Amino acid sequence: MSFPWAEHYAPKHPLTKWIDSRLPLPRLVYNAIGAGYPVPRNLNYFWNFGVLAGAALAIQIITGIILAMHYAAHGDIAFQSVESIMRDVNSGWLLRYAHANGASFFFIVVYLHIFRGLYYGSYKAPREMVWLLGVVIFLLMMATAFMGYVLPWGQMSFWGAQVITGFFSAIPVVGEPIRVWLLGGFAPDNAALNRFFSLHYLLPFVIAGVVVLHIWALHIPGSNNPTGVDVKGPQDTVPFHPYYTAKDGFGLGVFLTAFSLMLFFAPNALGHADNYIPANPLSTPAHIVPEWYFWPFYAILRAFTVNFFWIPAKLWGVVAMFSAIALLFVLPWLDASPVRSANYRPLYRKFFWLLVLDVLVLGYCGVMPAEEPWVRISQFAAAYYFAHFLIILPIVSRVEKPLPLPNSISESVLHGEKAEAAPIGVQA
Amino acid sequence: MVVRFGAFLIGLVFVLALLTAFLVPREAAEETVAHKFHLHPKALKLASDGPLGKFDRQQLQRGFQVYKEVCAACHSLRFVAFRDLEGIGFTKPEVKAIANQWAIEVPAINPDTGEATTRKAMPSDYFPSPYANETAARAANNNALPPDLSLMAKAREGGAPYVHSLLTGYRDPPADLPADARPGPSLYYNPYFANLNIAMPPPLVADGQVSYADGTSASVDQMATDVSAFLVWTAEPKLENRHRTGVAVVIFLIIATTLAYLSYRNIWADQKH
Ligand code: HEM
């Protein structure tokens, strides 16, 4: 793997030599995130978010493991055990707020990471496998976050679990038995809480495993870059260390500062007040809303209000919601354009920003009550979401005339065309 | 090719289903009565507000007095222990006395007979509930349940300002209020409450209802403000700790990030990019 001009690991100290000849782990790290990995020299700050996603995963795992030492997964005392973490456990409030806000920041970072990929065509050959594994990570993250939100056993925990597991009952005939089997009862209760806790502990480690595959797959072709042009020679790259470790270190500082501002000064701003009320199966909250990172998908779910082709609206909603993510799996084959970066795709670039706007509109509709005008807006926005990926994108990639590409990364850099690496409104 | 054709068909089906739904006529959202008469909480300034906010311990003690003399008759505070009162400035002996003189005793077991009994509270006890169970609580309150107040300041959208507005918001129903929205028997009109009619009788009715030890004049508004401040503390007793740690962490991170930026610039100084 990697380019022929990659620097070679040459241990000098007898101890590192000794280790390397028995277990070449230092070598692996050197080649993966050290000087042995040549990276395009023109990456912009949007390339920081992969490492930041890794940092966010580490924060979740570390805070999560300590929380689990104090948490009690039982319907009668789960809520109370969380409150005792907040009040009696040393720095328990810090751990819990870090874990709760950490999930939000993880999603912020991963959404930016995904949209970076969409803009710069990182999903295209030869990086399809990187992208596919990324979508798997995204799905696992959503499952993990959903089950984690159930654990404090507040009102939104309970009713969120009720609504989400209710999706399964939309499946004809077998749906209801499946739902009961998954929950271990007719409604979320102790059995459900316990299995959610078990899975919530397991899945982050599965994610960590898939992240390893994701990075392994990335290192076969190497990183994409803002021009989307392939690396041609040594003049196009710099070693990951120290160049990108330094840049990622700065990015990490900015990320942690933003995270700390939230965690220490507005720790409940992204949460929902109702989750400070203990779960009560007899009292339904006025508005059941999921966490913000699910809002766009929640809007798609609720946009299907009429039975179409004899299929009930609810089933349409559930199928569409899952399809909205599943379609990312075929994206590399929907986009036929050989040009990667949207900087050189004037037509695609416009549709990309429309998609960004569309997802923001969907997110807004997702948090509003299911009333007019929000339902109608969400129906239009959801239709546009599917049209973008399944209809517009394949056509655009056929008809559009890309702008002339630079001959190489170094040429583009040496011409001083820093603007080419800028993501918004670039004229080539 | 097959992928793109299949995707096109699937896309078309979703778009058609959504556009059909889009075109189905429907009624515009009606403004409900609750919507029309409901009021948003009035602004409330507390010392604990803002990123550097600290508790006003004098005020918290007054708020505790209001809780003790008024609210505790109906509302529990089950996540707060007597010992926690040291956090709002009571001394150990004072806490001991407060627990010992608390009007409601805590459930216990008679060491001689093993029978259920009650005993005087100790500093390590949590505030006892005024009712034996939910059924008893509802029976005493016209079938309404007085919620636990420990987390109240975080469990409502409006937070402490909501509690303050609720306590001072009781009034006669407006003349144009439709008949079906008027308070039924043992309900009270309060425009800050979500459905306008609350089962809690106005708890703070007269100036001077409690006599503050520190001489503050106990107007209804003052008592409501003090007890709201107290409930911010019961909901988030580690608030000051959080603010203090936050300031230190953010200052540290800003310095560290600046250094990281300088070293990033330094390392890249010899590279065009
Ligand atoms: C736990 C979550 C994730 C972690 C820890 C992670 C980590 C990384 C890292 C470290 C890189 C290399 C640095 C970079 O290019 O930013 C990378 C690249 C990439 N990731 Fe992820 N990732 C995650 C989730 C995702 C998701 C959800 C997707 C898309 C659905 C995705 C798509 C990609 C793609 C396409 C690349 C190649 C980018 C390029 O070279 O241009 N990743 N990831």
Side-chain angles (χ1 to χ4, degrees), chain A residues 14 77 79 156 161 166 175 231 237 252 280 316-317 321 371 409 411:
Chain A
I77 52 171
F79 189 89
M156 277 300 154
V231 167
T237 66
L252 187 65
N280 181 353
W316 273 113
M321 188 181 63
E371 290 167 2
I409 293 173
E411 193 177 285

Side-chain angles (χ1 to χ4, degrees), chain A residues 240-287:
Chain A
F240 187 82
H241 180 73
Y243 292 99
Y244 284 106
T245 39
K247 191 172 181 180
D248 284 329
F250 169 54
L252 187 65
V254 174
F255 169 77
L256 289 178
T257 309
F259 179 46
S260 301
L261 287 173
M262 197 78 202
L263 191 173
F264 290 105
F265 302 115
N268 293 308
L270 296 171
H272 200 292
D274 283 41
N275 227 28
Y276 279 110
I277 306 173
N280 181 353
L282 300 177
S283 141
T284 319
H287 298 295

Side-chain angles (χ1 to χ4, degrees), chain A residues 47 50 53-54 106 113 116 122 130 134-135 137-138 214 218 223-224:
Chain A
W47 266 260
F106 197 174
H113 191 63
R116 185 278 316 262
S122 301
V130 184
V135 181
I137 294 171
F138 182 46
H214 182 72
L218 170 69
S223 297
N224 186 26

